[in-house]
C-alpha cells in the first residue's frame, strides 16, 4: 500500500504539515516494500487552485491513502473521485504518523474543510 | 481623467473620500471594490442599467475526449484535473485563456459562458454612478474590474473607488489611473499600509497625495512621514462627534456645512497637481 503524507521536510523524522495544498513536500511511503520517495508539492507555487495541483500530483503517483490535516473542497472532490482514502493527523513526525496509521488510530476525512483562495 | 482612491486593508475611509470627492468634483463615481462595494449605501442612486459579466469555461465532450490529459498539462491555473480517464473542470479557477481548446487534438473542448458578477449604473445628485459586484463565492474579481474600467470614458472625470489592500485587484484598477489619492489614518497600521500603497503607486509612476482620515488636528506619525519624505498631504478629515454622527446616519459629509470645505479644498489641492479643463 502506498501512502502519501504532507510534510515539512524530506526526512522521516521531520514533521507532518497539516496544510495539504500549501505544504512543502509530499512523502510517499510504500508500506509493503519500505520504499520511500519525496516530491516537492506542485501546489505550493501555484497562484490559485493549490489543492487541485497537489491532488493531481498525488493521484498521478497512484497512491492509495493520503494523510494530512484537512482537505479543501476541490482537493477533497478529486481525491474522493480517484478512490483515494484520506486520513487526518496532527503535526507530529512522519514516523509517528505512519505508526499511528498502521495501528488504525487515524480518523478518516469525510468532509472538506474551508477553502483557501490564494490569489 | 481617472482619479484612483486607495487605502490599506481595513476601512480607513476610502469610500467616504471617494463618494464625497466625486460630488465635490462633479465627477463620475466608479466603485471597483467589487467584493464589497458600498458607495451605493451613501449615494443611494437610481439604478437604470444592469449588465452581467460573463466568463467562459471549458466543457468536455465525453464522446470525443480520449483522456490524453494534454488539456490538464497546459492549464496554468489548475482549472482542469484528470482522475482515471475523466477530465474535471473547476470553472471558478478558469481564466478563459483558451489554451486547453487549442491543444486538444480531438476537438473535445467547447466553451460555455457563466455569470460571475454584474455592473450596475445609475445616477444620484447629478453625477453618474457605477458599481461592479462580484458574485459570492467567486474567487476572481479582475474580470469584473476590467469590464468596469474599460467601459468608462477617460475623457470625463472619474473617481475610482479601488479595492482595499495592494492585491492584483488594485493593480488592475491603477492601470487605468492618472492620479492616486491614498487614504490612511494616524496609526501604526495606517502608516504601514500607506507605505505599501506608496510603493505600489510609484510602480505606476502616477502623481499621488495623501488624505488623513480621523485626524484630530495635532501632529501625528503620518504627517511626520509625509513631510520627511516629501509626500503631498491633500487634506485631512476630522474625527469629531459631528462627523461620527453624520457617518452613522449614512449621510453625506459634502452636504454638511462644516464638512463641505474639506472636500472643496481636496479638489483644489488635486487641481494644483493635475490640471484639467
Ligand atoms: S486534450 Fe482533449 S482529448 Fe485530451 S483529455 Fe483533454 S479534452 Fe480529452
Ligand atoms: S481556458 Fe485556460 S484557464 Fe480555462 S481551463 Fe482552459 S487552459 Fe485552463
Amino acid at each position: 500500500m502506498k501512502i502519501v503524507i504532507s510534510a515539512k521536510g524530506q526526512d522521516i523524522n521531520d514533521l507532518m504539515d497539516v496544510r495539504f495544498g500549501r505544504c512543502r513536500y509530499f512523502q510517499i511511503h510504500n508500506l509493503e516494500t519500505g520504499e520511500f520517495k519525496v516530491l516537492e508539492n506542485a501546489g505550493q507555487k501555484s497562484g490559485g487552485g493549490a489543492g487541485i495541483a497537489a491532488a493531481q500530483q498525488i493521484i498521478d503517483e497512484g497512491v492509495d491513502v493520503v494523510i494530512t490535516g484537512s482537505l479543501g473542497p476541490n482537493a477533497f472532490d478529486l481525491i474522493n473521485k480517484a478512490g483515494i482514502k484520506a486520513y487526518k493527523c496532527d503535526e507530529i513526525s512522519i514516523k509517528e504518523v505512519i505508526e499511528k496509521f498502521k495501528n488504525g488510530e487515524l480518523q478518516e476525512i469525510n468532509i472538506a474543510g474551508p477553502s483557501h483562495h490564494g490569489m | 481623467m481617472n482619479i484612483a482612491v486607495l487605502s490599506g486593508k481595513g476601512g480607513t475611509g476610502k469610500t467616504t473620500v471617494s463618494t464625497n470627492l466625486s460630488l465635490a468634483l462633479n465627477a463620475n463615481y466608479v466603485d471597483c471594490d467589487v467584493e464589497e462595494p458600498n458607495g451605493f449605501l451613501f449615494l443611494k442612486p437610481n439604478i437604470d442599467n444592469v449588465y452581467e459579466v460573463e466568463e467562459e469555461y471549458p466543457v468536455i465532450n465525453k464522446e470525443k475526449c480520449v483522456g490524453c490529459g494534454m488539456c490538464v498539462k497546459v492549464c496554468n491555473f489548475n482549472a482542469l484535473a484528470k482522475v482515471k480517464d475523466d477530465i474535471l473542470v473547476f470553472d471558478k479557477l478558469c481564466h478563459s485563456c483558451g489554451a486547453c481548446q487549442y491543444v486538444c487534438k480531438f476537438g473535445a473542448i467547447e466553451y460555455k459562458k457563466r455569470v460571475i458578477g454584474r455592473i450596475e449604473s445609475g445616477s444620484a445628485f447629478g453625477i453618474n454612478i457605477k458599481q461592479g459586484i462580484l458574485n459570492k463565492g467567486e474567487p476572481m474579481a479582475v474580470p469584473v474590474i476590467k469590464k468596469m474600467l474599460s467601459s468608462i470614458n477617460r475623457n470625463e472625470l472619474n473617481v475610482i473607488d479601488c479595492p482595499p489592500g495592494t492585491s492584483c485587484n488594485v493593480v488592475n484598477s491603477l492601470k487605468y489611473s492618472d492620479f492616486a489619492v491614498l487614504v490612511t489614518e494616524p496609526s501604526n497600521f495606517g502608516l504601514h499600509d500607506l507605505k505599501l500603497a506608496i510603493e505600489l503607486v510609484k510602480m505606476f509612476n502616477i502623481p499621488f497625495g495623501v488624505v488623513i482620515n480621523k485626524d484630530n488636528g495635532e501632529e501625528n506619525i503620518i504627517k511626520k512621514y509625509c513631510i520627511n519624505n516629501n509626500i503631498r498631504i491633500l487634506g485631512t478629515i476630522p474625527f469629531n462627534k459631528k462627523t461620527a454622527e453624520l457617518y452613522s446616519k449614512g449621510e453625506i459629509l459634502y452636504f454638511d456645512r462644516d464638512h463641505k470645505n474639506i472636500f472643496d479644498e481636496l479638489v483644489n489641492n488635486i487641481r494644483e497637481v493635475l490640471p484639467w479643463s
Side-chain angles (χ1 to χ4, degrees):
Chain A
M1 185 189 304
K2 266 165 100 178
I3 66 172
V4 59
I5 304 165
S6 53
K8 294 196 161 176
Q10 295 176 278
D11 191 88
I12 190 157
N13 292 309
D14 286 326
L15 292 177
M16 189 189 102
D17 193 332
V18 292
R19 299 169 307 169
F20 176 72
R22 296 280 175 198
C23 69
R24 183 91 193 268
Y25 300 105
F26 284 120
Q27 291 195 9
I28 302 178
H29 293 265
N30 188 321
L31 297 188
E32 278 89 39
T33 64
E35 272 173 278
F36 150 59
K37 169 172 163 188
V38 182
L39 301 174
E40 275 200 40
N41 173 12
Q44 65 171 327
K45 287 188 215 86
S46 60
I52 296 171
Q56 181 73 65
Q57 189 181 21
I58 65 164
I59 289 168
D60 292 345
E61 289 293 324
V63 303
D64 307 288
V65 165
V66 54
I67 305 173
T68 188
S70 65
L71 292 168
N74 292 338
F76 180 78
D77 215 30
L78 277 175
I79 282 173
N80 224 350
K81 285 215 168 75
I84 297 171
K85 281 209 147 70
Y87 293 89
K88 187 180 167 60
C89 195
D90 300 318
E91 193 183 293
I92 53 176
S93 76
I94 302 292
K95 207 167 155 185
E96 290 169 285
V97 173
I98 295 172
E99 273 319 300
K100 280 193 182 244
F101 175 72
K102 281 184 180 163
N103 296 337
E105 289 170 38
L106 298 182
Q107 241 187 337
E108 229 180 289
I109 299 176
N110 291 319
I111 47 157
S115 61
H116 308 279
H117 293 305
M119 293 274 142
Chain B
M1 196 78 77
N2 291 348
I3 299 176
V5 181
L6 279 76
S7 75
K9 286 180 210 111
T12 47
K14 179 175 60 69
T15 300
T16 309
V17 171
S18 14
T19 49
N20 287 288
L21 183 61
S22 307
L23 292 167
L25 280 168
N26 201 19
N28 304 322
Y29 170 76
V30 185
D31 196 348
C32 277
D33 189 358
V34 301
E35 280 169 82
E36 225 170 304
N38 54 9
F40 275 32
L41 298 178
F42 294 96
L43 296 168
K44 304 180 187 79
N46 294 320
I47 295 167
D48 40 46
N49 200 348
V50 178
Y51 66 88
E52 289 177 328
V53 181
E54 294 179 322
E55 274 280 276
E56 288 191 321
Y57 68 99
V59 178
I60 313 293
N61 181 332
K62 292 216 164 115
E63 251 125 66
K64 292 188 181 165
C65 174
V66 300
C68 68
M70 284 305 288
C71 53
V72 177
K73 281 211 185 75
V74 79
C75 180
N76 263 326
F77 304 99
N78 300 319
L80 298 172
K82 183 177 168 212
V83 177
K84 293 168 186 161
D85 278 332
D86 268 353
I87 302 298
L88 274 77
V89 180
F90 295 91
D91 52 12
K92 285 186 177 165
L93 292 166
C94 174
H95 284 55
S96 315
C97 73
C100 51
Q101 188 181 49
Y102 183 78
V103 297
C104 179
K105 292 197 181 76
F106 303 89
I109 295 182
E110 299 268 327
Y111 291 104
K112 274 197 177 163
K113 283 184 175 166
R114 60 189 199 92
V115 173
I116 62 162
R118 63 182 192 278
I119 294 170
E120 298 181 346
S121 50
S123 59
F125 310 110
I127 62 171
N128 292 323
I129 293 170
K130 240 183 206 177
Q131 76 172 350
I133 302 167
L134 183 69
N135 288 349
K136 285 262 163 321
E138 288 293 341
M140 288 191 297
V142 170
V144 181
I145 294 171
K146 280 196 174 152
K147 245 295 165 27
M148 284 264 286
L149 292 172
S150 59
S151 74
I152 61 178
N153 183 350
R154 214 161 165 171
N155 295 325
E156 293 175 11
L157 203 50
N158 305 294
V159 173
I160 299 171
D161 192 346
C162 291
T166 45
S167 63
C168 57
N169 298 343
V170 189
V171 171
N172 272 285
S173 314
L174 274 177
K175 270 187 205 156
Y176 296 83
S177 300
D178 304 289
F179 187 86
V181 176
L182 313 182
V183 186
T184 188
E185 52 186 43
S187 68
N188 287 326
F189 281 122
L191 183 60
H192 171 83
D193 284 355
L194 178 64
K195 285 180 186 166
L196 294 178
I198 290 173
E199 251 172 64
L200 190 69
V201 173
K202 281 190 170 159
M203 267 169 34
F204 285 87
N205 218 359
I206 50 178
F208 67 94
V210 172
V211 170
I212 308 173
N213 190 26
K214 294 191 181 166
D215 179 80
N216 59 8
E218 288 165 23
E219 270 308 303
N220 62 46
I221 51 170
I222 305 286
K223 285 180 192 160
K224 212 164 135 194
Y225 180 79
C226 288
I227 291 165
N228 287 343
N229 291 279
N230 229 345
I231 291 162
R232 204 175 291 112
I233 297 178
L234 297 167
T236 56
I237 299 172
F239 188 55
N240 56 38
K241 233 174 129 189
K242 182 91 189 272
T243 321
E245 209 181 287
L246 290 168
Y247 200 78
S248 69
K249 283 191 199 147
E251 287 192 24
I252 291 172
L253 297 181
Y254 190 65
F255 297 146
D256 178 70
R257 243 189 343 182
D258 300 333
H259 289 83
K260 184 175 182 296
N261 64 323
I262 298 169
F263 297 100
D264 287 334
E265 214 167 283
L266 184 55
V267 169
N268 286 338
N269 288 337
I270 296 176
R271 249 182 229 276
E272 262 175 38
V273 191
L274 190 74
W276 63 82
S277 50

